[in-house]
Amino acid sequence: MDFPNRQILHRITEGDKAAFTQLCGYFHLPAFKLCTVILKDDQEAELVIRNVFDKIWEERSDLETRGNFQSYLFTNLKNQIFVQMKKYQDPAARQQYVDKMQVLSGR
C-alpha cells in the first residue's frame, strides 16, 4: 500500500487533523534528512519543514489533485530550502550564518 493513500488525502482535504498529523509523522524523518543535508542546520531544517507542512494544510482542499504526494512534498521542500538559502545572499546575513555554523561545530 502506498502512503498516503486516497482515503488519507481525502480525510485531510475534509479538515481531519488526525490524518494530517499521521501524514506529517510519516514524512518528517525523510524531509528532515533532506533539509539537514542541504542546510547543515537542524533548526533551519525544522523551520523549512514546518513552513511546508503549514502550506500543505492551508492548501489542503487541492491535495487530492496534486498527483504523487511525495513528489509534491519534496518539490515544496526544495523550493522552501532555496527561499531559506536566499536569505544568506546578503553579506551580513551570510556572515551571521557562517559564525553560527562555526559555533555549532565547535570552532
Side-chain angles (χ1 to χ4, degrees), residues 66-95:
R66 299 287 183 186
N68 182 314
F69 178 79
Q70 187 170 334
S71 294
Y72 171 68
L73 171 64
F74 283 93
T75 297
N76 276 285
L77 287 168
K78 177 191 68 163
N79 292 340
Q80 187 63 40
I81 287 168
F82 290 147
V83 167
Q84 266 320 86
M85 292 173 77
K86 280 183 182 180
K87 291 192 319 188
Y88 302 113
Q89 289 181 350
D90 170 52
R94 187 177 325 123
Q95 188 58 49

PDB file of all heavy atoms in Angstrom, residues 66-95:
ATOM      1  N   ARG A  66      -3.137  16.845  -6.622  1.00  0.00           N
ATOM      2  CA  ARG A  66      -1.700  17.104  -6.801  1.00  0.00           C
ATOM      3  C   ARG A  66      -0.934  15.942  -7.410  1.00  0.00           C
ATOM      4  O   ARG A  66       0.237  16.080  -7.696  1.00  0.00           O
ATOM      5  CB  ARG A  66      -1.055  17.466  -5.460  1.00  0.00           C
ATOM      6  CG  ARG A  66      -1.611  18.698  -4.815  1.00  0.00           C
ATOM      7  CD  ARG A  66      -1.147  19.915  -5.542  1.00  0.00           C
ATOM      8  NE  ARG A  66      -1.647  21.099  -4.846  1.00  0.00           N
ATOM      9  CZ  ARG A  66      -1.506  22.306  -5.290  1.00  0.00           C
ATOM     10  NH1 ARG A  66      -0.885  22.515  -6.423  1.00  0.00           N
ATOM     11  NH2 ARG A  66      -1.996  23.326  -4.632  1.00  0.00           N
ATOM     12  N   GLY A  67      -1.545  14.805  -7.582  1.00  0.00           N
ATOM     13  CA  GLY A  67      -0.838  13.659  -8.135  1.00  0.00           C
ATOM     14  C   GLY A  67      -0.047  12.951  -7.041  1.00  0.00           C
ATOM     15  O   GLY A  67      -0.554  12.701  -5.962  1.00  0.00           O
ATOM     16  N   ASN A  68       1.200  12.667  -7.303  1.00  0.00           N
ATOM     17  CA  ASN A  68       2.056  11.963  -6.360  1.00  0.00           C
ATOM     18  C   ASN A  68       2.402  12.885  -5.192  1.00  0.00           C
ATOM     19  O   ASN A  68       3.123  13.864  -5.357  1.00  0.00           O
ATOM     20  CB  ASN A  68       3.318  11.496  -7.081  1.00  0.00           C
ATOM     21  CG  ASN A  68       4.247  10.716  -6.184  1.00  0.00           C
ATOM     22  OD1 ASN A  68       4.528  11.095  -5.057  1.00  0.00           O
ATOM     23  ND2 ASN A  68       4.742   9.612  -6.715  1.00  0.00           N
ATOM     24  N   PHE A  69       1.903  12.559  -4.002  1.00  0.00           N
ATOM     25  CA  PHE A  69       2.105  13.436  -2.853  1.00  0.00           C
ATOM     26  C   PHE A  69       3.576  13.574  -2.495  1.00  0.00           C
ATOM     27  O   PHE A  69       4.044  14.660  -2.163  1.00  0.00           O
ATOM     28  CB  PHE A  69       1.323  12.953  -1.628  1.00  0.00           C
ATOM     29  CG  PHE A  69       1.579  13.826  -0.436  1.00  0.00           C
ATOM     30  CD1 PHE A  69       0.927  15.046  -0.323  1.00  0.00           C
ATOM     31  CD2 PHE A  69       2.519  13.480   0.519  1.00  0.00           C
ATOM     32  CE1 PHE A  69       1.194  15.896   0.740  1.00  0.00           C
ATOM     33  CE2 PHE A  69       2.789  14.313   1.589  1.00  0.00           C
ATOM     34  CZ  PHE A  69       2.128  15.523   1.700  1.00  0.00           C
ATOM     35  N   GLN A  70       4.314  12.480  -2.547  1.00  0.00           N
ATOM     36  CA  GLN A  70       5.720  12.538  -2.171  1.00  0.00           C
ATOM     37  C   GLN A  70       6.490  13.498  -3.075  1.00  0.00           C
ATOM     38  O   GLN A  70       7.294  14.303  -2.600  1.00  0.00           O
ATOM     39  CB  GLN A  70       6.344  11.146  -2.214  1.00  0.00           C
ATOM     40  CG  GLN A  70       7.761  11.119  -1.681  1.00  0.00           C
ATOM     41  CD  GLN A  70       8.284   9.705  -1.497  1.00  0.00           C
ATOM     42  OE1 GLN A  70       7.511   8.769  -1.300  1.00  0.00           O
ATOM     43  NE2 GLN A  70       9.578   9.566  -1.552  1.00  0.00           N
ATOM     44  N   SER A  71       6.225  13.470  -4.360  1.00  0.00           N
ATOM     45  CA  SER A  71       6.873  14.402  -5.289  1.00  0.00           C
ATOM     46  C   SER A  71       6.461  15.835  -4.977  1.00  0.00           C
ATOM     47  O   SER A  71       7.297  16.747  -4.976  1.00  0.00           O
ATOM     48  CB  SER A  71       6.494  14.077  -6.730  1.00  0.00           C
ATOM     49  OG  SER A  71       7.013  12.842  -7.101  1.00  0.00           O
ATOM     50  N   TYR A  72       5.198  16.023  -4.697  1.00  0.00           N
ATOM     51  CA  TYR A  72       4.679  17.345  -4.340  1.00  0.00           C
ATOM     52  C   TYR A  72       5.372  17.868  -3.082  1.00  0.00           C
ATOM     53  O   TYR A  72       5.822  19.007  -3.027  1.00  0.00           O
ATOM     54  CB  TYR A  72       3.165  17.246  -4.148  1.00  0.00           C
ATOM     55  CG  TYR A  72       2.503  18.466  -3.578  1.00  0.00           C
ATOM     56  CD1 TYR A  72       2.428  19.655  -4.304  1.00  0.00           C
ATOM     57  CD2 TYR A  72       1.946  18.449  -2.310  1.00  0.00           C
ATOM     58  CE1 TYR A  72       1.811  20.782  -3.770  1.00  0.00           C
ATOM     59  CE2 TYR A  72       1.321  19.562  -1.776  1.00  0.00           C
ATOM     60  CZ  TYR A  72       1.261  20.723  -2.512  1.00  0.00           C
ATOM     61  OH  TYR A  72       0.649  21.840  -1.991  1.00  0.00           O
ATOM     62  N   LEU A  73       5.478  17.019  -2.065  1.00  0.00           N
ATOM     63  CA  LEU A  73       6.107  17.405  -0.808  1.00  0.00           C
ATOM     64  C   LEU A  73       7.569  17.786  -1.016  1.00  0.00           C
ATOM     65  O   LEU A  73       8.013  18.858  -0.591  1.00  0.00           O
ATOM     66  CB  LEU A  73       6.011  16.267   0.212  1.00  0.00           C
ATOM     67  CG  LEU A  73       6.815  16.455   1.498  1.00  0.00           C
ATOM     68  CD1 LEU A  73       6.302  17.646   2.294  1.00  0.00           C
ATOM     69  CD2 LEU A  73       6.781  15.182   2.332  1.00  0.00           C
ATOM     70  N   PHE A  74       8.331  16.938  -1.686  1.00  0.00           N
ATOM     71  CA  PHE A  74       9.762  17.195  -1.827  1.00  0.00           C
ATOM     72  C   PHE A  74      10.058  18.355  -2.772  1.00  0.00           C
ATOM     73  O   PHE A  74      11.055  19.056  -2.603  1.00  0.00           O
ATOM     74  CB  PHE A  74      10.507  15.910  -2.191  1.00  0.00           C
ATOM     75  CG  PHE A  74      10.687  15.026  -0.989  1.00  0.00           C
ATOM     76  CD1 PHE A  74       9.770  14.045  -0.692  1.00  0.00           C
ATOM     77  CD2 PHE A  74      11.741  15.221  -0.123  1.00  0.00           C
ATOM     78  CE1 PHE A  74       9.905  13.257   0.438  1.00  0.00           C
ATOM     79  CE2 PHE A  74      11.898  14.446   1.009  1.00  0.00           C
ATOM     80  CZ  PHE A  74      10.975  13.456   1.292  1.00  0.00           C
ATOM     81  N   THR A  75       9.187  18.611  -3.727  1.00  0.00           N
ATOM     82  CA  THR A  75       9.332  19.808  -4.553  1.00  0.00           C
ATOM     83  C   THR A  75       9.125  21.052  -3.705  1.00  0.00           C
ATOM     84  O   THR A  75       9.889  22.021  -3.809  1.00  0.00           O
ATOM     85  CB  THR A  75       8.328  19.787  -5.723  1.00  0.00           C
ATOM     86  OG1 THR A  75       8.626  18.659  -6.553  1.00  0.00           O
ATOM     87  CG2 THR A  75       8.392  21.053  -6.547  1.00  0.00           C
ATOM     88  N   ASN A  76       8.118  21.025  -2.837  1.00  0.00           N
ATOM     89  CA  ASN A  76       7.878  22.154  -1.937  1.00  0.00           C
ATOM     90  C   ASN A  76       9.030  22.335  -0.956  1.00  0.00           C
ATOM     91  O   ASN A  76       9.420  23.469  -0.657  1.00  0.00           O
ATOM     92  CB  ASN A  76       6.565  21.974  -1.187  1.00  0.00           C
ATOM     93  CG  ASN A  76       5.394  22.448  -1.990  1.00  0.00           C
ATOM     94  OD1 ASN A  76       5.183  23.646  -2.123  1.00  0.00           O
ATOM     95  ND2 ASN A  76       4.624  21.513  -2.544  1.00  0.00           N
ATOM     96  N   LEU A  77       9.577  21.246  -0.443  1.00  0.00           N
ATOM     97  CA  LEU A  77      10.729  21.342   0.458  1.00  0.00           C
ATOM     98  C   LEU A  77      11.911  21.990  -0.250  1.00  0.00           C
ATOM     99  O   LEU A  77      12.554  22.895   0.287  1.00  0.00           O
ATOM    100  CB  LEU A  77      11.121  19.962   0.989  1.00  0.00           C
ATOM    101  CG  LEU A  77      10.201  19.351   2.026  1.00  0.00           C
ATOM    102  CD1 LEU A  77      10.545  17.884   2.244  1.00  0.00           C
ATOM    103  CD2 LEU A  77      10.269  20.110   3.345  1.00  0.00           C
ATOM    104  N   LYS A  78      12.183  21.528  -1.455  1.00  0.00           N
ATOM    105  CA  LYS A  78      13.303  22.078  -2.231  1.00  0.00           C
ATOM    106  C   LYS A  78      13.108  23.576  -2.458  1.00  0.00           C
ATOM    107  O   LYS A  78      14.029  24.368  -2.250  1.00  0.00           O
ATOM    108  CB  LYS A  78      13.424  21.351  -3.564  1.00  0.00           C
ATOM    109  CG  LYS A  78      14.517  21.891  -4.473  1.00  0.00           C
ATOM    110  CD  LYS A  78      14.399  21.319  -5.865  1.00  0.00           C
ATOM    111  CE  LYS A  78      13.157  21.885  -6.471  1.00  0.00           C
ATOM    112  NZ  LYS A  78      12.941  21.844  -7.843  1.00  0.00           N
ATOM    113  N   ASN A  79      11.915  23.964  -2.829  1.00  0.00           N
ATOM    114  CA  ASN A  79      11.642  25.382  -3.073  1.00  0.00           C
ATOM    115  C   ASN A  79      11.801  26.208  -1.800  1.00  0.00           C
ATOM    116  O   ASN A  79      12.363  27.306  -1.828  1.00  0.00           O
ATOM    117  CB  ASN A  79      10.241  25.571  -3.660  1.00  0.00           C
ATOM    118  CG  ASN A  79      10.132  25.022  -5.061  1.00  0.00           C
ATOM    119  OD1 ASN A  79      11.130  24.835  -5.750  1.00  0.00           O
ATOM    120  ND2 ASN A  79       8.924  24.733  -5.494  1.00  0.00           N
ATOM    121  N   GLN A  80      11.332  25.683  -0.682  1.00  0.00           N
ATOM    122  CA  GLN A  80      11.459  26.401   0.588  1.00  0.00           C
ATOM    123  C   GLN A  80      12.917  26.468   1.043  1.00  0.00           C
ATOM    124  O   GLN A  80      13.343  27.459   1.628  1.00  0.00           O
ATOM    125  CB  GLN A  80      10.587  25.746   1.657  1.00  0.00           C
ATOM    126  CG  GLN A  80      10.512  26.515   2.952  1.00  0.00           C
ATOM    127  CD  GLN A  80       9.875  27.891   2.792  1.00  0.00           C
ATOM    128  OE1 GLN A  80       8.910  28.048   2.069  1.00  0.00           O
ATOM    129  NE2 GLN A  80      10.416  28.867   3.474  1.00  0.00           N
ATOM    130  N   ILE A  81      13.693  25.437   0.753  1.00  0.00           N
ATOM    131  CA  ILE A  81      15.134  25.461   1.060  1.00  0.00           C
ATOM    132  C   ILE A  81      15.800  26.592   0.287  1.00  0.00           C
ATOM    133  O   ILE A  81      16.615  27.337   0.837  1.00  0.00           O
ATOM    134  CB  ILE A  81      15.791  24.105   0.732  1.00  0.00           C
ATOM    135  CG1 ILE A  81      15.368  23.052   1.765  1.00  0.00           C
ATOM    136  CG2 ILE A  81      17.309  24.229   0.671  1.00  0.00           C
ATOM    137  CD1 ILE A  81      15.720  21.627   1.377  1.00  0.00           C
ATOM    138  N   PHE A  82      15.442  26.741  -0.975  1.00  0.00           N
ATOM    139  CA  PHE A  82      16.018  27.831  -1.782  1.00  0.00           C
ATOM    140  C   PHE A  82      15.640  29.193  -1.208  1.00  0.00           C
ATOM    141  O   PHE A  82      16.455  30.114  -1.194  1.00  0.00           O
ATOM    142  CB  PHE A  82      15.592  27.728  -3.244  1.00  0.00           C
ATOM    143  CG  PHE A  82      16.203  26.562  -3.969  1.00  0.00           C
ATOM    144  CD1 PHE A  82      15.490  25.911  -4.962  1.00  0.00           C
ATOM    145  CD2 PHE A  82      17.471  26.107  -3.676  1.00  0.00           C
ATOM    146  CE1 PHE A  82      16.043  24.840  -5.647  1.00  0.00           C
ATOM    147  CE2 PHE A  82      18.033  25.030  -4.349  1.00  0.00           C
ATOM    148  CZ  PHE A  82      17.312  24.396  -5.338  1.00  0.00           C
ATOM    149  N   VAL A  83      14.407  29.315  -0.711  1.00  0.00           N
ATOM    150  CA  VAL A  83      13.981  30.570  -0.073  1.00  0.00           C
ATOM    151  C   VAL A  83      14.863  30.837   1.144  1.00  0.00           C
ATOM    152  O   VAL A  83      15.336  31.955   1.345  1.00  0.00           O
ATOM    153  CB  VAL A  83      12.488  30.512   0.320  1.00  0.00           C
ATOM    154  CG1 VAL A  83      12.110  31.646   1.254  1.00  0.00           C
ATOM    155  CG2 VAL A  83      11.607  30.517  -0.919  1.00  0.00           C
ATOM    156  N   GLN A  84      15.091  29.795   1.967  1.00  0.00           N
ATOM    157  CA  GLN A  84      15.948  29.950   3.145  1.00  0.00           C
ATOM    158  C   GLN A  84      17.355  30.358   2.740  1.00  0.00           C
ATOM    159  O   GLN A  84      17.959  31.223   3.353  1.00  0.00           O
ATOM    160  CB  GLN A  84      16.060  28.635   3.910  1.00  0.00           C
ATOM    161  CG  GLN A  84      15.144  28.333   5.047  1.00  0.00           C
ATOM    162  CD  GLN A  84      14.824  29.447   5.968  1.00  0.00           C
ATOM    163  OE1 GLN A  84      13.915  30.205   5.702  1.00  0.00           O
ATOM    164  NE2 GLN A  84      15.501  29.537   7.074  1.00  0.00           N
ATOM    165  N   MET A  85      17.874  29.729   1.702  1.00  0.00           N
ATOM    166  CA  MET A  85      19.255  29.995   1.284  1.00  0.00           C
ATOM    167  C   MET A  85      19.416  31.404   0.715  1.00  0.00           C
ATOM    168  O   MET A  85      20.481  32.003   0.849  1.00  0.00           O
ATOM    169  CB  MET A  85      19.711  28.935   0.288  1.00  0.00           C
ATOM    170  CG  MET A  85      19.849  27.565   0.940  1.00  0.00           C
ATOM    171  SD  MET A  85      20.193  26.252  -0.233  1.00  0.00           S
ATOM    172  CE  MET A  85      21.920  26.547  -0.537  1.00  0.00           C
ATOM    173  N   LYS A  86      18.373  31.933   0.100  1.00  0.00           N
ATOM    174  CA  LYS A  86      18.447  33.290  -0.457  1.00  0.00           C
ATOM    175  C   LYS A  86      18.681  34.326   0.626  1.00  0.00           C
ATOM    176  O   LYS A  86      19.269  35.365   0.369  1.00  0.00           O
ATOM    177  CB  LYS A  86      17.174  33.629  -1.232  1.00  0.00           C
ATOM    178  CG  LYS A  86      17.139  33.048  -2.603  1.00  0.00           C
ATOM    179  CD  LYS A  86      15.889  33.498  -3.333  1.00  0.00           C
ATOM    180  CE  LYS A  86      15.839  32.855  -4.699  1.00  0.00           C
ATOM    181  NZ  LYS A  86      14.640  33.264  -5.436  1.00  0.00           N
ATOM    182  N   LYS A  87      18.226  34.014   1.844  1.00  0.00           N
ATOM    183  CA  LYS A  87      18.449  34.947   2.946  1.00  0.00           C
ATOM    184  C   LYS A  87      19.937  35.193   3.168  1.00  0.00           C
ATOM    185  O   LYS A  87      20.325  36.237   3.654  1.00  0.00           O
ATOM    186  CB  LYS A  87      17.834  34.411   4.243  1.00  0.00           C
ATOM    187  CG  LYS A  87      16.343  34.399   4.242  1.00  0.00           C
ATOM    188  CD  LYS A  87      15.724  34.139   5.589  1.00  0.00           C
ATOM    189  CE  LYS A  87      16.361  33.111   6.436  1.00  0.00           C
ATOM    190  NZ  LYS A  87      15.587  32.782   7.645  1.00  0.00           N
ATOM    191  N   TYR A  88      20.765  34.216   2.786  1.00  0.00           N
ATOM    192  CA  TYR A  88      22.192  34.319   3.055  1.00  0.00           C
ATOM    193  C   TYR A  88      22.977  34.897   1.884  1.00  0.00           C
ATOM    194  O   TYR A  88      24.196  34.881   1.891  1.00  0.00           O
ATOM    195  CB  TYR A  88      22.741  32.959   3.483  1.00  0.00           C
ATOM    196  CG  TYR A  88      22.001  32.462   4.691  1.00  0.00           C
ATOM    197  CD1 TYR A  88      21.182  31.351   4.633  1.00  0.00           C
ATOM    198  CD2 TYR A  88      22.061  33.166   5.892  1.00  0.00           C
ATOM    199  CE1 TYR A  88      20.470  30.930   5.741  1.00  0.00           C
ATOM    200  CE2 TYR A  88      21.347  32.756   7.003  1.00  0.00           C
ATOM    201  CZ  TYR A  88      20.562  31.637   6.919  1.00  0.00           C
ATOM    202  OH  TYR A  88      19.844  31.233   8.008  1.00  0.00           O
ATOM    203  N   GLN A  89      22.292  35.434   0.888  1.00  0.00           N
ATOM    204  CA  GLN A  89      22.977  36.117  -0.198  1.00  0.00           C
ATOM    205  C   GLN A  89      23.443  37.495   0.246  1.00  0.00           C
ATOM    206  O   GLN A  89      24.406  38.022  -0.281  1.00  0.00           O
ATOM    207  CB  GLN A  89      22.083  36.218  -1.431  1.00  0.00           C
ATOM    208  CG  GLN A  89      21.882  34.874  -2.098  1.00  0.00           C
ATOM    209  CD  GLN A  89      21.015  34.962  -3.331  1.00  0.00           C
ATOM    210  OE1 GLN A  89      20.401  35.985  -3.606  1.00  0.00           O
ATOM    211  NE2 GLN A  89      20.951  33.881  -4.071  1.00  0.00           N
ATOM    212  N   ASP A  90      22.763  38.057   1.235  1.00  0.00           N
ATOM    213  CA  ASP A  90      23.182  39.318   1.827  1.00  0.00           C
ATOM    214  C   ASP A  90      24.462  39.042   2.621  1.00  0.00           C
ATOM    215  O   ASP A  90      24.497  38.136   3.446  1.00  0.00           O
ATOM    216  CB  ASP A  90      22.075  39.842   2.745  1.00  0.00           C
ATOM    217  CG  ASP A  90      22.535  41.024   3.570  1.00  0.00           C
ATOM    218  OD1 ASP A  90      23.057  41.985   2.972  1.00  0.00           O
ATOM    219  OD2 ASP A  90      22.366  40.973   4.803  1.00  0.00           O
ATOM    220  N   PRO A  91      25.544  39.801   2.396  1.00  0.00           N
ATOM    221  CA  PRO A  91      26.819  39.518   3.066  1.00  0.00           C
ATOM    222  C   PRO A  91      26.722  39.475   4.596  1.00  0.00           C
ATOM    223  O   PRO A  91      27.341  38.617   5.227  1.00  0.00           O
ATOM    224  CB  PRO A  91      27.733  40.654   2.602  1.00  0.00           C
ATOM    225  CG  PRO A  91      27.152  41.104   1.307  1.00  0.00           C
ATOM    226  CD  PRO A  91      25.667  40.890   1.437  1.00  0.00           C
ATOM    227  N   ALA A  92      25.968  40.368   5.196  1.00  0.00           N
ATOM    228  CA  ALA A  92      25.849  40.382   6.655  1.00  0.00           C
ATOM    229  C   ALA A  92      25.125  39.129   7.148  1.00  0.00           C
ATOM    230  O   ALA A  92      25.537  38.503   8.127  1.00  0.00           O
ATOM    231  CB  ALA A  92      25.122  41.632   7.122  1.00  0.00           C
ATOM    232  N   ALA A  93      24.063  38.752   6.473  1.00  0.00           N
ATOM    233  CA  ALA A  93      23.316  37.557   6.855  1.00  0.00           C
ATOM    234  C   ALA A  93      24.173  36.309   6.646  1.00  0.00           C
ATOM    235  O   ALA A  93      24.149  35.387   7.461  1.00  0.00           O
ATOM    236  CB  ALA A  93      22.021  37.452   6.057  1.00  0.00           C
ATOM    237  N   ARG A  94      24.922  36.287   5.560  1.00  0.00           N
ATOM    238  CA  ARG A  94      25.807  35.149   5.283  1.00  0.00           C
ATOM    239  C   ARG A  94      26.853  35.014   6.389  1.00  0.00           C
ATOM    240  O   ARG A  94      27.131  33.918   6.869  1.00  0.00           O
ATOM    241  CB  ARG A  94      26.479  35.299   3.926  1.00  0.00           C
ATOM    242  CG  ARG A  94      27.266  34.070   3.535  1.00  0.00           C
ATOM    243  CD  ARG A  94      27.907  34.151   2.148  1.00  0.00           C
ATOM    244  NE  ARG A  94      27.105  34.859   1.192  1.00  0.00           N
ATOM    245  CZ  ARG A  94      27.530  35.925   0.505  1.00  0.00           C
ATOM    246  NH1 ARG A  94      28.747  36.379   0.656  1.00  0.00           N
ATOM    247  NH2 ARG A  94      26.746  36.529  -0.350  1.00  0.00           N
ATOM    248  N   GLN A  95      27.438  36.134   6.819  1.00  0.00           N
ATOM    249  CA  GLN A  95      28.447  36.089   7.874  1.00  0.00           C
ATOM    250  C   GLN A  95      27.848  35.599   9.184  1.00  0.00           C
ATOM    251  O   GLN A  95      28.471  34.816   9.894  1.00  0.00           O
ATOM    252  CB  GLN A  95      29.106  37.453   8.063  1.00  0.00           C
ATOM    253  CG  GLN A  95      30.289  37.406   9.012  1.00  0.00           C
ATOM    254  CD  GLN A  95      31.373  36.443   8.560  1.00  0.00           C
ATOM    255  OE1 GLN A  95      31.795  36.459   7.404  1.00  0.00           O
ATOM    256  NE2 GLN A  95      31.815  35.567   9.452  1.00  0.00           N
TER     257      GLN A  95
END
